[in-house]
Amino acid sequence: MHRVGSAGNTSNSVRPRKEKKFTYVLTDLDDTKHCGGINCLAVLKSSGPGRSDYLFTGSRDGTLKRWVLGEDVSTCSATFESHVDWVNDAVLTGGDTLVSCSSDTTVKIWNCLSDGKCTRTLRQHSDYVTCLAAAEFNSNIVASGGLGGEVFIWDLEAALAPLSKSNDSAEDDGAASVNGLVSSLTNTSMRPIGSSNNISLLATHQGYTPISAKGHKESVYALATNDRGTLLVSGGTEKVVRVWDPRTGSKNMKLRGHTDNIRTLLLDSTGRFCLSGSSDSMIRLWDLGQQRCVHSYAVHTDSVWALASTPAFSHVYSGGRDSSLYMTDLETRESVLLCTKEHPILRLALHDNSIWVATTDSSVDRWPSEAHNPVKVFQRGGSFLAGNLSFSRAKASLEGSAPVPVYREPSFSIPGTPALVQHEILNNRRHVLTKDTTGSVKLWEITKGMVIENYGKVSFNKKKEELFEMVSIPAWYTVDTRLGSLSVHLETPQCFSAEMYSTDLNIMGKPEDDKVNLARETLNGLLSHWLTKRRQRFGSQASANGEIPSGKDTSTMTFALSRIEGDGSGENDHVVYPPFEFSAASPPSIVTEGSQGGPWRKKITDLDGTEDEKVFPWWLLDCVSHNRLPPRENTKCSFYLHPCEGSTVQILTQGKLSAPRILRIHKVVNYVMEKMVLDKPLDSTNADGAFAPGITGGQISHPAVGGDGSFWSGLKSRQKVKPSIEILCNNQVLPPDISLATVRAYIWKKPEDLILNYRVVLGR
């Protein structure tokens, strides 16, 4: 997936240079499970007896989930869906507030006990936001860091303060975008759109700007703070640990010692000691009072990505790229291998005497930790003394002295679904072949958003070859599997370039020669719920012609409408045809943005009808509400039609002909027969009596009286022989059901205009 900009159109122009894209994300199996690696974990302890604890997980699939934890059971009680890219970190603060950050450059604030409502979106970062830190005893303070080298300290109370203006005026004033330029805006207050809408816009409140900890020149990967939020540490690609005063953003010190990127940090409750894990495979313990490294631990054979400590900060749990989970006594340097995983470990979270382990897989496991009495683990044997040089652990591993894990199986697991890792768009442009992490190959119909064939664990390339069709349809969408699921991207005007005849889509009740625009009908199917809700909410205002009764300034939309063209079909009934019906049982999510705020994501069944041009692209509304499409590239195919070389058949035309790219060769046959005054096939005329619809242009000559006339008179004398027409290209006879576009792409294969030949053949 491309990097998502943190703000919309910041120029003063009415129309942005590039139109907003529209994406829909398809899921196949259980939507209550993650389908991507788990980047972050957070545990919320119950506030009273009889209540359950919660586990929050944030995934590379772009969502967060809340799990109700039982003795040996877990239930997904909410999905938090608004980010449009990987969720990289999440922290809990204040008992009911969940803060998350993402590669979509945003930080989002949620009511963690709600049904998944995003209460505010903070758009201050210029690049991926990679890490967060929250103070346990100061619920107002949250810090965020990212690839842009920025570290911001947020006062959540100020950022979440209620807006003083009315909803309408706040919505109107919110069209501007922050993108790091808050101070230059006259008013940056924003609110969620609509009373029940989860889509949140900019998060600054009437000029509120977070404190910026300036000093990093490169990417920031890790943050940590002490319990009271009076100390903040950060690390990244500069290989140093920076120490800050989060109240002012001023630098206190810089600690050197690591030889590679710093990936994870921990502070003890007092803020005196700091633990750091690095891509140099080392764990270091720093005494911030002495401003030096007091211990280093060579435990891992590869990058250290995750750290967690016992409540007393006496032992550290560590995991990383080597897929191993270790526990190390910080004083004695004694270390033990708790378990090994199949995938690299990304995050750890202690929960009583257990530890949750998240990896690049979509599942989460709980392992015994004995955090309150770590000695129990060491008593089981198998411990070793951690070295103090990075190569010592790797050397020991190569010499065959690898430790034996204490635990073989987790005590409990929360399973995920396999992530998609490979895809191929098939030539018919309606089907996509995918492969997941288990090797399972499936065929998707993207105009319905569903799997139509599960081939199991077969060769992806062989199946792709088996499904090859010699058909040419314009590339009207792109796909990716970055989120572990199938994301389909539509951009105007390219997405409206593909058409098919209704008969080829098996649409009943429509003339077989009716052209169906694949993107328009797909959008109608995706947003049918939204349109129904909109009509229910606005009544006749939205039902007659799809006009948008926003009651606000419509200059932008008026300008947009002047740039579109009618479809020509004259229909505006918003019927969803069967090939474009999306399942309500497994509804896709949509990702898009409008004239205000930034990109957002939501289930199509969660749309409430209030969404308008402020959150939807103008071209999307024109298509779905007005049934009008933007100007498109030429959908015609130019070609010459000549008799075969050496044939005595008359020349029908000297000029160039033009027809829709999807026109079938049997229509060209009909055209030739009409001009030769041969017997017409039964299907040679359409409803209005026109012959060979869509073929225009050229100098058409009528049958000659002399010359070839003797040929026709000879045919008439053979009463039992009926002539027919064959169309050829490059001396190859063309099947009657092949399209002009397919002929040009697979048989003609030249940049020049297509040349077709015709000849008369005799048959009984």
Side-chain angles (χ1 to χ4, degrees):
M1 181 179 286
H2 70 294
R3 293 194 175 195
V4 183
S6 61
N9 178 27
T10 58
S11 67
N12 293 324
S13 61
V14 177
R15 174 70 52 220
R17 291 184 179 179
K18 187 175 182 181
E19 302 297 351
K20 306 293 194 302
K21 73 163 56 175
F22 177 86
T23 297
Y24 59 101
V25 183
L26 305 176
T27 55
D28 175 28
L29 300 173
D30 192 348
D31 193 39
T32 64
K33 298 178 181 178
H34 285 299
C35 63
I38 310 299
N39 281 342
C40 50
L41 301 167
V43 176
L44 180 63
K45 296 285 291 181
S46 61
S47 57
R51 297 185 179 181
S52 298
D53 295 343
Y54 293 111
L55 175 68
F56 293 85
T57 54
S59 172
R60 296 179 177 182
D61 63 16
T63 69
L64 299 104
K65 294 186 185 295
R66 182 182 67 220
W67 305 89
V68 180
L69 301 177
E71 187 66 28
D72 283 311
V73 67
S74 65
T75 304
C76 179
S77 60
T79 296
F80 300 82
E81 187 171 15
S82 182
H83 284 298
V84 301
D85 208 333
W86 288 12
V87 176
N88 293 323
D89 203 359
V91 293
L92 290 164
T93 181
D96 61 355
T97 300
L98 177 69
V99 183
S100 62
C101 68
S102 167
S103 296
D104 64 12
T105 77
T106 69
V107 175
K108 290 183 181 286
I109 304 173
W110 318 75
N111 181 341
C112 70
L113 301 179
S114 71
D115 57 356
K117 181 177 182 180
C118 177
T119 56
R120 197 61 57 97
T121 299
L122 312 175
R123 301 184 186 275
Q124 195 76 15
H125 285 270
S126 62
D127 209 330
Y128 292 10
V129 191
T130 56
C131 51
L132 298 170
E136 183 176 352
F137 299 137
N138 188 345
S139 59
N140 283 337
I141 302 302
V142 171
S144 60
L147 297 190
E150 302 148 325
V151 175
F152 296 115
I153 298 100
W154 302 88
D155 183 332
L156 296 187
E157 185 176 354
L160 289 171
L163 304 179
S164 59
K165 294 190 174 186
S166 67
N167 287 347
D168 287 344
S169 63
E171 185 174 274
D172 285 342
D173 289 343
S177 170
V178 175
N179 199 21
L181 301 175
V182 177
S183 59
S184 66
L185 301 179
T186 57
N187 190 341
T188 57
S189 59
M190 294 299 244
R191 68 169 181 87
I193 300 176
S195 59
S196 62
N197 200 337
N198 293 357
I199 305 165
S200 300
L201 299 180
L202 302 182
T204 55
H205 169 66
Q206 298 181 353
Y208 165 73
T209 306
I211 295 172
S212 178
K214 297 181 179 179
H216 278 284
K217 299 179 180 63
E218 298 177 16
S219 299
V220 178
Y221 286 149
L223 291 172
T225 185
N226 63 336
D227 285 355
R228 300 195 178 278
T230 57
L231 204 64
L232 178 71
V233 292
S234 62
T237 57
E238 296 170 82
K239 309 169 189 175
V240 299
V241 177
R242 296 181 185 270
V243 185
W244 312 83
D245 183 344
R247 295 163 293 190
T248 62
S250 59
K251 290 182 287 187
N252 289 349
M253 67 187 78
K254 186 190 300 184
L255 305 172
R256 301 180 184 275
H258 283 294
T259 59
D260 207 336
N261 301 337
I262 294 173
R263 301 301 303 266
T264 179
L265 291 167
L266 275 181
L267 273 177
D268 74 338
S269 59
T270 65
R272 178 180 175 181
F273 293 104
C274 173
L275 279 167
S276 59
S278 168
S279 295
D280 62 13
S281 77
M282 295 295 296
I283 301 170
R284 290 183 179 271
L285 177 65
W286 308 84
D287 187 323
L288 301 188
Q290 300 180 25
Q291 299 189 25
R292 69 183 184 92
C293 176
V294 293
H295 285 295
S296 57
Y297 309 91
V299 175
H300 291 270
T301 59
D302 210 330
S303 300
V304 181
W305 290 348
L307 295 174
S309 72
T310 55
F313 211 76
S314 60
H315 295 73
V316 62
Y317 302 87
S318 58
R321 193 171 182 177
D322 60 6
S323 306
S324 299
L325 175 64
Y326 290 93
M327 182 174 67
T328 304
D329 188 317
L330 295 178
E331 183 177 356
T332 66
R333 309 176 59 84
E334 190 177 9
S335 186
V336 63
L337 175 63
L338 293 180
C339 66
T340 56
K341 301 282 292 176
E342 294 182 4
H343 307 277
I345 295 173
L346 298 176
R347 196 59 56 96
L348 304 170
L350 279 171
H351 184 196
D352 296 331
N353 266 333
S354 299
I355 187 168
W356 291 99
V357 180
T359 70
T360 55
D361 184 44
S362 57
S363 303
V364 183
D365 294 328
R366 185 178 67 195
W367 296 80
S369 69
E370 300 295 346
H372 297 296
N373 191 6
V375 177
K376 283 186 177 181
V377 178
F378 291 103
Q379 290 175 344
R380 302 182 64 162
S383 64
F384 62 95
L385 193 65
N388 56 11
L389 297 175
S390 59
F391 66 83
S392 59
R393 181 68 189 88
K395 181 181 178 182
S397 178
L398 291 173
E399 291 175 351
S401 57
V404 177
V406 175
Y407 304 108
R408 296 290 184 180
E409 298 293 336
S411 57
F412 181 72
S413 295
I414 300 176
T417 59
L420 300 183
V421 293
Q422 192 174 0
H423 67 273
E424 183 76 22
I425 301 175
L426 302 187
N427 288 5
N428 61 21
R429 303 293 175 182
R430 292 177 60 209
H431 295 159
V432 175
L433 193 67
T434 62
K435 180 181 179 180
D436 64 28
T437 52
T438 67
S440 180
V441 177
K442 296 179 181 179
L443 185 66
W444 296 73
E445 186 168 353
I446 61 99
T447 57
K448 299 185 71 171
M450 62 183 296
V451 172
I452 58 175
E453 198 72 50
N454 186 346
Y455 300 109
K457 297 180 180 180
V458 299
S459 168
F460 182 85
N461 290 330
K462 287 184 178 180
K463 182 56 63 175
K464 182 177 66 175
E465 293 173 0
E466 290 176 14
L467 296 173
F468 173 80
E469 296 179 69
M470 195 174 72
V471 59
S472 177
I473 295 177
W476 59 282
Y477 64 90
T478 58
V479 299
D480 70 56
T481 54
R482 174 178 168 80
L483 300 180
S485 50
L486 197 61
S487 296
V488 184
H489 309 289
L490 304 180
E491 294 188 73
T492 188
Q494 301 95 315
C495 67
F496 296 109
S497 62
E499 296 175 326
M500 293 180 67
Y501 287 121
S502 60
T503 185
D504 296 327
L505 292 167
N506 297 318
I507 298 177
M508 306 298 293
K510 285 178 69 71
E512 65 174 28
D513 289 334
D514 270 14
K515 290 184 290 184
V516 176
N517 190 285
L518 298 183
R520 180 182 63 189
E521 300 307 328
T522 299
L523 291 172
N524 282 338
L526 281 166
L527 296 179
S528 61
H529 173 84
W530 168 80
L531 191 60
T532 299
K533 289 289 187 180
R534 191 160 184 83
R535 287 171 171 172
Q536 292 173 353
R537 183 177 291 270
F538 297 107
S540 60
Q541 296 181 68
S543 61
N545 56 11
E547 292 293 341
I548 302 167
S550 62
K552 308 294 191 305
D553 179 14
T554 58
S555 59
T556 301
M557 283 302 299
T558 303
F559 181 83
L561 293 179
S562 69
R563 296 184 53 188
I564 58 90
E565 63 179 9
D567 174 69
S569 66
E571 296 181 2
N572 195 24
D573 52 6
H574 298 284
V575 173
V576 177
Y577 299 113
F580 305 94
E581 292 177 344
F582 287 81
S583 170
S586 182
S589 301
I590 59 174
V591 177
T592 190
E593 62 180 310
S595 62
Q596 296 182 8
W600 54 271
R601 170 174 168 168
K602 207 173 188 184
K603 290 284 187 189
I604 59 172
T605 49
D606 290 337
L607 299 172
D608 62 10
T610 62
E611 299 84 5
D612 56 16
E613 70 273 11
K614 291 172 182 167
V615 295
F616 277 141
W618 66 271
W619 61 267
L620 176 72
L621 294 176
D622 284 338
C623 173
V624 176
S625 295
H626 302 275
N627 202 27
R628 290 182 284 193
L629 307 183
R632 289 163 285 166
E633 296 180 0
N634 184 21
T635 60
K636 300 284 187 178
C637 177
S638 299
F639 64 99
Y640 292 95
L641 189 59
H642 297 158
C644 288
E645 186 176 353
S647 172
T648 58
V649 179
Q650 77 264 33
I651 298 175
L652 300 179
T653 174
Q654 300 288 348
K656 187 188 301 184
L657 299 174
S658 179
R661 291 181 301 195
I662 62 174
L663 191 79
R664 304 296 187 188
I665 290 300
H666 74 82
K667 295 293 183 181
V668 181
V669 171
N670 291 348
Y671 178 84
V672 173
M673 283 187 161
E674 166 71 4
K675 297 307 175 185
M676 287 185 170
V677 200
L678 291 176
D679 293 335
K680 299 178 183 178
L682 294 177
D683 64 344
S684 62
T685 59
N686 59 17
D688 59 6
F691 199 91
I695 301 181
T696 60
Q699 299 293 326
I700 306 298
S701 61
H702 295 282
V705 176
D708 289 334
S710 58
F711 175 78
W712 299 118
S713 61
L715 288 178
K716 292 178 182 179
S717 64
R718 308 181 193 180
Q719 297 298 324
K720 295 184 180 181
V721 177
K722 185 174 183 179
S724 61
I725 299 295
E726 286 183 343
I727 305 297
L728 297 86
C729 180
N730 282 346
N731 296 319
Q732 180 178 337
V733 177
L734 303 178
D737 60 346
I738 196 173
S739 69
L740 291 177
T742 303
V743 174
R744 183 179 181 88
Y746 292 99
I747 300 174
W748 180 243
K749 299 180 182 179
K750 300 176 185 177
E752 297 86 5
D753 286 325
L754 176 65
I755 297 178
L756 300 179
N757 303 108
Y758 58 93
R759 68 186 181 192
V760 177
V761 295
L762 302 179
R764 293 186 177 274

